[in-house]
Amino acid sequence: MTALIRRFGLGLSALIIALPVFWIVMMIVLPELVMIDFAFRPNLLPAEIGGPKDVYTLGNFQTLVENTIHRAIFLKTIWASAFVTLVTLVVCYPIAYHLAQGTKPERTGFLILLLIIPFWINEILRTFAWFIILAYNGPLNALLSGLGLIDRPIRFLNGNFGVIIGMVYAYILFMVFPLYNSMESLDRNQIEAARDLGASAWRIHRRIVIPHAKPGIATGCIFTFMLAAGSYAVPALLGSPQSRWFTEIIYNWFFEGGNWNQGAAYAIVLLALCLGFILLMLRVFRVNLGDIAK
Amino acid sequence: MSQNVELDRVVMRFGAVTAVREVSLEVRGGEFFSFLGPSGCGKTTLLRLIGGFIDPTEGEIRIGGRDMRGIGPNRRPTAMIFQNLALFPLMPVWENIAFGLEVRGVPKSERRRRAEELLELIALPGYADKQVAELSGGQRQRVAIARALAVEPQVLLLDEPLSALDLKLRQHMRAELRALQKRTGVTFIYITHDQGEALAMSDRVGVMSQGVLQQVGRPEELYDTPLTPFVASFVGENNRFAGRVREAANGHATIETEAGIFRGRNVGRLSAGERALLFVRPERLQVANGGAVENRLTAPVSHRTFEGAFIYLVADVPGSRPVTVQLANTGAVPVSEPGGEITLGFAAEDAVILADQGEG
Ligand SMILES: Nc1ncnc2c1ncn2[C@@H]1O[C@H](COP(=O)(O)OP(=O)(O)OP(=O)(O)O)[C@@H](O)[C@H]1O
Ligand SMILES: [Mg+2]
């Protein structure tokens, strides 16, 4: 602090500190506080606000516990997001390893570019592309029946399948880059030394690569899980009424049910879920926030 | 107990770069063999070829008589110690050492016991549960050696393992490595660009330059009878005179240089008229005070360096590179101040005559 003042003078230092503080308070802290406040109050008519009924209550949270459909969708969102995270990890691990250790540096840049290019397109449009690919009369079904693998087209967009595919695709980069970053710093000689001592590829990954890449794996999983649990576009486009996502229910409370208090409570439950997942990952991978920030 | 390693016309090309050119040699079982050469001459490549990390473009590598082509590093009887050691930083010392045993399915208690035995061997008892980051450079060095020895290799490959250590520790580790090699009887193939290290430790040394194996021999042979100008100037200090052979007979030759006519051992087997280089070591030159020395030259002294046990004089010989003389400080050294003339002499037996291939 004093160093800052010495360097920039009092006025400029105050500005440098005030701007981010203002940003954090106005854009993050205040909205969250308002949300929390909303969540613990009942949904009242405008005339009743400030009246005797306007007290703090857990009623909004109780709705989630009691409404079996909402509860089922909430639990489905948890396991489906966890499943999306797992599939994304399995898909991205070999990609990241190949980029970090398997190719010459000149080619790495090119391959990364190939990975990024699709993401220059808006997420909705990308998801829509999958909608077309997976459609009942779409190219994937045409291909599969053309190859003689199926006699009748499959309804991919009927259940959770389309949603999971769409999410894995949407979040690939959020998994690949943390993994790549953490794997890239692994000294290649360590891999060769392990091989020289007789280790199989599987053991090299289990004992050398994965322990080294742990912070990256944790970061990638946290990103992917939070994005998946909080995703709205992908389930809305690729899901069906039977495969609703928790975010869709929150949306409905806010914009169709007009019950902001109920929506805020659900949103807070989702936020708590994500925080819980972060803590779980940190525990599972035995890393701390400092490692992840890297 | 230990196996030999044969290289048969081994060539290694990386695209347009030829890192190893037609190298043939046999490293005997139980031998301490060093490859010596300047940076980038292909030493690491040669070691990686033997270790099985890469297969040669041409030629054959045999270990214990068996052709090794297509056999990966995990299935060769070799263990490598990397230039940067490549210890596993996330495992404690004992797991590092026992990694090769873990791979082989040895039960944990047995692994631990072996690791502790090896820690005993490398004089680090009680370090089993330390983290790699807690060790000093020399200790890491020794752990890397123990890790390689744990798998009981027939051939240990060492890639400049001492280069990161300071001088004192390096000298200490040289002696330890040598003793360890004697004790275990394992074939050591050692890489270094430090000629003192190679000469001091090895049974035999192979000198490399730009992918070519120039000469293989015992340290004394390399020093006393270099076969190529590269070896003559790379191994130890040497003075060099360029000229033409006047006459050659009985293993000796006389060459005519701008600095004079000198006689020396005709190591390069040259005949009259050929272009030749004559090499003579600074310590084989003497100040000739009218004594009966075969070869002599007179030149002005340009520098004089006093180093306690030795005194170095540099003389500007016309038509030649400056000549360095190393004189033992026996108290009888004549005072030759820069500017004064000096007459130097050397015996024909101390001079080596080689073909001038026109490089350098
Ligand atoms: N994988 C590779 N691809 C392309 N060229 C390579 C490869 N490995 C080595 N080379 C080239 O081969 C030559 C010899 O390299 P090498 O690493 O064997 O040298 P070195 O003698 O070990 O040098 P240093 O003492 O610096 O370690 C160099 O010109 C190097 O650029
Ligand atoms: Mg090298």
Side-chain angles (χ1 to χ4, degrees):
Chain A
M1 183 77 105
T2 48
L4 200 66
I5 292 173
R6 206 173 313 126
R7 183 139 173 217
F8 295 111
L10 194 59
L12 198 52
S13 299
L15 192 66
I16 288 174
I17 294 169
L19 280 177
V21 167
F22 175 80
W23 174 268
I24 290 170
V25 168
M26 291 306 289
M27 301 300 200
I28 301 173
V29 176
L30 279 184
E32 287 294 336
L33 287 178
V34 171
M35 275 265 291
I36 292 172
D37 184 61
F38 262 69
F40 287 95
R41 286 178 196 274
N43 187 29
L44 300 169
L45 296 171
E48 291 170 320
I49 291 175
K53 281 197 195 162
D54 196 357
V55 290
Y56 285 117
T57 158
L58 288 175
N60 294 326
F61 295 91
Q62 219 168 340
T63 318
L64 178 59
V65 180
E66 283 164 5
N67 186 326
T68 49
I69 293 177
H70 289 181
R71 204 173 61 209
I73 290 176
F74 179 64
L75 295 177
K76 199 277 301 284
T77 303
I78 296 179
W79 75 252
S81 300
F83 186 69
V84 165
T85 307
L86 183 71
V87 173
T88 313
L89 177 62
V90 169
V91 169
C92 294
Y93 185 92
I95 299 176
Y97 183 73
H98 182 72
L99 287 176
Q101 298 283 339
T103 60
K104 300 204 180 87
E106 313 89 76
R107 278 197 59 196
T108 312
F110 175 69
L111 291 175
I112 288 179
L113 188 69
L114 283 188
L115 271 178
I116 293 178
I117 284 178
F119 289 81
W120 288 348
I121 299 166
N122 175 295
E123 184 187 348
I124 309 277
L125 291 180
R126 264 184 292 129
T127 309
F128 208 74
W130 275 103
F131 181 78
I132 294 169
I133 293 173
L134 297 175
Y136 190 72
N137 293 320
L140 183 59
N141 271 321
L143 179 73
L144 289 178
S145 55
L147 290 172
L149 295 174
I150 50 172
D151 341 317
R152 215 153 10 99
I154 301 172
R155 288 199 182 276
F156 290 114
L157 298 173
N158 212 1
N160 295 314
F161 178 80
V163 179
I164 288 170
I165 292 238
M167 286 195 181
V168 169
Y169 174 73
Y171 307 135
I172 275 185
L173 289 190
F174 293 94
M175 185 65 95
V176 164
F177 281 117
L179 288 184
Y180 169 77
N181 271 337
S182 61
M183 286 175 180
E184 197 214 25
S185 59
L186 176 62
D187 171 17
R188 200 195 195 100
N189 282 345
Q190 275 186 40
I191 297 171
E192 295 209 323
R195 200 149 69 91
D196 190 41
L197 293 167
S200 59
W202 159 243
R203 191 181 296 271
I204 290 172
H205 282 281
R206 194 165 61 82
R207 291 287 273 142
I208 314 289
V209 184
I210 293 177
H212 181 87
K214 258 184 188 174
I217 295 174
T219 312
C221 287
I222 287 172
F223 276 158
T224 309
F225 182 87
M226 288 180 40
L227 288 167
S231 171
Y232 182 79
V234 177
L237 277 170
L238 299 180
S240 64
Q242 290 90 55
S243 62
R244 274 198 297 165
W245 216 248
F246 196 58
T247 45
E248 296 177 87
I249 297 177
I250 298 176
Y251 180 91
N252 285 349
W253 279 128
F254 272 99
F255 299 108
E256 275 155 39
N259 187 342
W260 285 32
N261 303 79
Q262 192 63 62
Y266 276 31
I268 280 173
V269 170
L270 187 62
L271 183 69
L273 170 71
C274 291
L275 289 177
F277 185 81
I278 294 179
L279 295 178
L280 180 73
M281 283 295 114
L282 297 184
R283 180 66 63 82
V284 167
F285 288 104
R286 292 206 200 87
V287 291
N288 53 41
L289 278 175
D291 294 331
I292 288 191
K294 283 180 210 152
Chain B
M1 151 91 207
S2 55
Q3 294 177 336
N4 70 341
V5 177
E6 293 162 275
L7 306 184
D8 192 356
R9 276 165 291 151
V10 169
V11 177
M12 186 70 218
R13 275 189 285 269
F14 298 105
V17 183
T18 306
V20 173
R21 297 166 197 261
E22 295 249 355
V23 169
S24 297
L25 94 148
E26 186 197 342
V27 178
R28 301 178 194 125
E31 188 174 28
F32 196 125
F33 190 94
S34 295
F35 283 107
L36 172 64
S39 186
C41 71
K43 306 182 296 289
T44 298
T45 305
L46 203 54
L47 212 63
R48 290 169 58 79
L49 283 165
I50 299 172
F53 296 98
I54 42 179
D55 264 333
T57 318
E58 286 166 32
E60 196 172 294
I61 295 172
R62 290 183 293 273
I63 301 179
R66 208 153 65 91
D67 183 9
M68 285 286 134
R69 183 171 287 277
I71 298 181
N74 46 352
R75 285 165 47 232
R76 292 195 184 191
T78 56
M80 176 125 156
I81 293 173
F82 289 78
Q83 205 156 2
N84 67 352
L85 305 182
L87 291 175
F88 307 131
L90 300 177
M91 299 181 200
V93 165
W94 83 268
E95 282 187 27
N96 261 280
I97 295 177
F99 187 80
L101 303 174
E102 178 189 322
V103 166
R104 285 160 180 75
V106 176
K108 183 166 177 184
S109 58
E110 170 69 11
R111 293 198 314 254
R112 173 91 196 193
R113 200 184 56 71
R114 275 293 289 152
E116 281 176 357
E117 272 175 22
L118 282 157
L119 281 168
E120 209 72 52
L121 179 79
I122 56 169
L124 286 178
Y127 277 68
D129 293 308
K130 284 237 179 351
Q131 293 299 315
V132 171
E134 298 173 75
L135 304 182
S136 72
Q139 290 169 338
R140 281 183 208 185
Q141 182 59 59
R142 283 183 268 177
V143 171
I145 293 169
R147 183 178 71 177
L149 287 176
V151 297
E152 298 182 357
Q154 303 286 329
V155 182
L156 197 62
L157 309 171
L158 304 100
D159 190 354
E160 305 204 32
L162 305 186
S163 54
L165 306 182
D166 63 54
L167 184 65
K168 258 264 155 46
L169 194 54
R170 199 151 69 217
Q171 283 169 343
H172 175 70
M173 287 303 297
R174 279 182 199 172
E176 280 202 15
L177 270 182
R178 183 69 220 201
L180 198 67
Q181 193 263 338
K182 284 270 173 286
R183 216 169 332 147
T184 56
V186 172
T187 311
F188 273 41
I189 300 185
Y190 189 94
I191 277 189
T192 178
H193 61 253
D194 177 339
Q195 39 127 347
E197 202 163 285
L199 297 182
M201 288 200 291
S202 323
D203 294 316
R204 286 190 306 152
V205 179
V207 182
M208 290 191 65
S209 161
Q210 300 184 348
V212 177
L213 186 61
Q214 298 267 337
Q215 184 176 357
V216 177
R218 289 181 295 108
E220 297 84 350
E221 283 170 4
L222 292 178
Y223 194 79
D224 293 335
T225 314
L227 297 180
T228 67
F230 176 82
V231 177
S233 17
F234 189 73
V235 180
E237 292 290 310
N238 237 330
N239 293 305
R240 198 184 98 146
F241 300 94
R244 236 169 239 290
V245 178
R246 228 180 188 201
E247 54 183 26
N250 302 332
H252 286 73
T254 309
I255 77 166
E256 196 172 340
T257 73
E258 287 192 38
I261 295 171
F262 303 127
R263 211 166 94 83
R265 289 154 56 210
N266 187 4
V267 173
R269 303 212 180 124
L270 306 180
S271 33
E274 283 188 85
R275 286 174 49 194
L277 294 172
L278 179 142
F279 291 93
V280 57
R281 302 267 176 205
E283 72 273 16
R284 303 287 172 89
L285 282 169
Q286 39 193 281
V287 179
N289 290 327
V293 267
E294 242 171 306
N295 303 299
R296 46 173 78 229
L297 67 150
T298 303
V301 175
S302 62
H303 293 286
R304 178 176 188 273
T305 316
F306 179 77
E307 282 199 4
F310 296 104
I311 296 167
Y312 291 90
L313 299 178
V314 178
D316 277 335
V317 178
S320 164
R321 298 183 178 181
V323 170
T324 307
V325 194
Q326 182 191 38
L327 302 168
N329 185 4
T330 55
V333 176
V335 190
S336 316
E337 290 303 331
E341 289 265 311
I342 190 173
T343 301
L344 298 169
F346 56 92
E349 289 311 312
D350 289 332
V352 169
I353 294 174
L354 300 170
D356 184 354
Q357 289 141 354
E359 87 253 29

